[in-house]
Amino acid sequence: MRSPALGDGKGIPEELVSAVMQVLLGEKNYSVNGDYSAPYLKPVVARIYPLFILLYAIPTALGLTLNVMIIVYISKYKLYRDVTHAFLVNLAVCHCVQCAFVLPITLMVMIIQNWVFGQFLCFFLPLLQDIPLHVAMLSHLLIAWDRKRWLTDPLKVRLPAFVCSCASWLAGLVIALPYPIYTTYLDLEKYLPGFAGVGICAVNLVDDMQEYMRGLFVIMYCAPMTLLGYLYIRTSRELRPPDGPLSIMMFEARAEARSRQIRLSKVGGASGNPAAAGGGTAEQQGGAAGSATANLAGNARTYDLYDAEADVNREKRTQRHLGAMASSQVLCVCPLMILRLARMTVAETYENQAHYDITFLMFVWIAFLPTIIVPWIYAAWVLSK
């Protein structure tokens, strides 16, 4: 396909046509007869793009495999009944979305100079990139908050995992919604008929957008990082005395949970018995109540300090691994969040465009490393049990 001459552009002033061509090609020397509907690699990655494809393929394949294995493992052994594991399932689903969709599409957008992905992806891509990032941070916050509440008072009701997980995705969507408002898409086919499927997708860094980016940095990075540090420090202090009242409360809470499971299993077995379907006689009901009381008394009698200390040590080990997961998320995302702020103050020109592109490619890759690190930490935690 041959592109029309510069003078054929309808609606685009003559002085802007050359600027449009420069945006498409990323260089000052351009040809008006080129086929710009085909993707053009950025000059800075034209020779080394296989290296970045290999780098991005590692977290894409390995991260997707490991997180699917976590979901299968937790589902197989029904560990999702525990609130912490339920939140880890939500985190694993978030990482699967990042590895399967966000990472490959982001790589294509970053190494291709001209926008050939259409109008829908122009507006949807910022949502696809930011929502899983917000959900991952919120999932770590929910894990830390729930454990702090439970370890402070083990008899307190845990957070509803399913409701909180759905709320984290909804909150991530709401937080990322302003991105399409500040996104501009210019369909060149309307002005240059030969440019079918070619457009320009850009974010308008107006004053409102800059305020939004600064607020996003504070609300979704600085505040969660500070809150995570506070919650894990407070929880670690609660676990410090091995023979304090917390260990006794934790043991009693576990004993109560075990006795409740025994009663529910017996009730389920009785309901499956036709003779017990009618409820039984008063003597039988009284005997069942007496046996449940005996189970509680038996659980209370089996208490000793060793079991309580074992519970506390188990929670300390869990706390270390969960804290390492949260730390990996905070540290790996930090370079990308800082670069986002820097792009608002430092203008991107032809002189520094190559540095921007390479730096952005590396920082995005680092930001996706938790999709691999978190499953490895989880595997170490499970094996340590």
Side-chain angles (χ1 to χ4, degrees):
M1 183 190 71
R2 291 175 62 86
S3 301
L6 293 179
D8 294 340
K10 297 179 181 179
I12 300 181
E14 284 289 334
E15 63 273 11
L16 296 181
V17 174
S18 60
V20 170
M21 301 299 291
Q22 290 178 21
V23 171
L24 291 176
L25 294 179
E27 56 186 16
K28 295 182 179 180
N29 297 323
Y30 55 84
S31 173
V32 297
N33 296 320
D35 183 10
Y36 301 114
S37 62
Y40 281 84
L41 290 174
K42 290 184 177 180
V44 67
V45 297
R47 296 181 179 180
I48 60 174
Y49 74 93
L51 175 61
F52 286 104
I53 292 178
L54 178 62
L55 284 176
Y56 276 69
I58 294 174
T60 300
L62 189 58
L64 184 61
T65 303
L66 293 176
N67 284 281
V68 169
M69 290 176 62
I70 288 179
I71 297 174
V72 172
Y73 177 82
I74 295 177
S75 302
K76 179 180 179 180
Y77 295 100
K78 298 181 180 181
L79 300 177
Y80 51 81
R81 296 175 179 176
D82 177 65
V83 177
T84 301
H85 280 86
F87 287 138
L88 289 175
V89 170
N90 186 50
L91 184 62
V93 171
C94 173
H95 287 166
C96 288
V97 172
Q98 288 181 310
C99 295
F101 302 103
V102 181
L103 200 56
I105 297 176
T106 302
L107 176 62
M108 288 191 302
V109 171
M110 288 190 299
I111 66 175
I112 295 177
Q113 179 65 38
N114 52 329
W115 185 268
V116 293
F117 307 103
Q119 182 177 3
F120 173 76
L121 193 59
C122 176
F123 292 99
F124 182 69
L125 182 60
L127 298 178
L128 184 63
Q129 290 174 330
D130 273 28
I131 290 176
L133 197 64
H134 300 332
V135 173
M137 190 67 75
L138 291 174
S139 298
H140 286 292
L141 274 177
L142 289 171
I143 293 173
W145 183 30
D146 175 74
R147 285 183 56 78
K148 193 264 179 186
R149 291 176 69 254
W150 182 69
L151 291 175
T152 302
D153 185 3
L155 301 178
K156 185 179 294 185
V157 178
R158 307 286 293 270
L159 293 177
F162 180 77
V163 175
C164 292
S165 298
C166 294
S168 66
W169 286 93
L170 181 60
L173 175 62
V174 172
I175 295 172
L177 272 180
Y179 258 115
I181 299 176
Y182 297 106
T183 302
T184 300
Y185 178 77
L186 178 63
D187 188 2
L188 294 181
E189 186 179 7
K190 296 180 180 179
Y191 307 99
L192 301 172
F195 283 68
V198 183
I200 296 178
C201 182
V203 177
N204 296 326
L205 294 178
V206 295
D207 294 338
D208 294 342
M209 183 61 179
Q210 293 183 5
E211 294 297 328
Y212 167 72
M213 294 298 296
R214 295 189 185 97
L216 194 65
F217 178 76
V218 174
I219 296 175
M220 292 308 301
Y221 183 74
C222 295
M225 177 181 61
T226 305
L227 189 57
L228 281 172
Y230 168 77
L231 290 174
Y232 276 105
I233 291 175
R234 282 292 305 272
T235 306
S236 300
R237 289 182 177 178
E238 293 289 342
L239 292 171
R240 185 170 299 172
D243 55 349
L246 175 64
S247 58
I248 301 175
M249 293 175 63
M250 288 175 57
F251 181 85
E252 292 177 347
R254 293 182 186 274
E256 176 65 22
R258 286 192 291 268
S259 64
R260 189 182 302 111
Q261 292 177 357
I262 294 174
R263 292 199 305 269
L264 291 176
S265 62
K266 288 186 176 180
V267 171
S271 61
N273 187 358
T281 62
E283 289 79 8
Q284 291 173 341
Q285 294 177 357
S291 62
T293 305
N295 286 332
L296 284 174
N299 286 327
R301 286 195 298 269
T302 57
Y303 168 79
D304 58 21
L305 185 60
Y306 175 78
D307 293 332
E309 291 180 352
D311 284 344
V312 173
N313 291 331
R314 186 184 302 110
E315 295 302 331
K316 285 183 178 179
R317 183 172 61 251
T318 300
Q319 190 73 4
R320 288 194 298 269
H321 288 88
L322 293 177
M325 295 180 190
S327 299
S328 67
Q329 178 71 26
V330 171
L331 294 176
C332 292
V333 175
C334 180
L336 180 61
M337 300 299 291
I338 295 177
L339 182 61
R340 284 184 172 184
L341 291 180
R343 297 193 68 174
M344 296 188 303
T345 57
V346 180
E348 184 175 355
T349 62
Y350 283 107
E351 286 73 18
N352 61 13
Q353 184 179 10
H355 299 88
Y356 261 118
D357 292 337
I358 297 297
T359 304
F360 199 72
L361 281 167
M362 292 305 303
F363 284 3
V364 170
W365 182 78
I366 294 174
F368 281 90
L369 286 181
T371 59
I372 301 177
I373 297 175
V374 170
W376 280 110
I377 296 175
Y378 179 81
W381 173 35
V382 172
L383 293 177
S384 67
K385 294 182 179 181

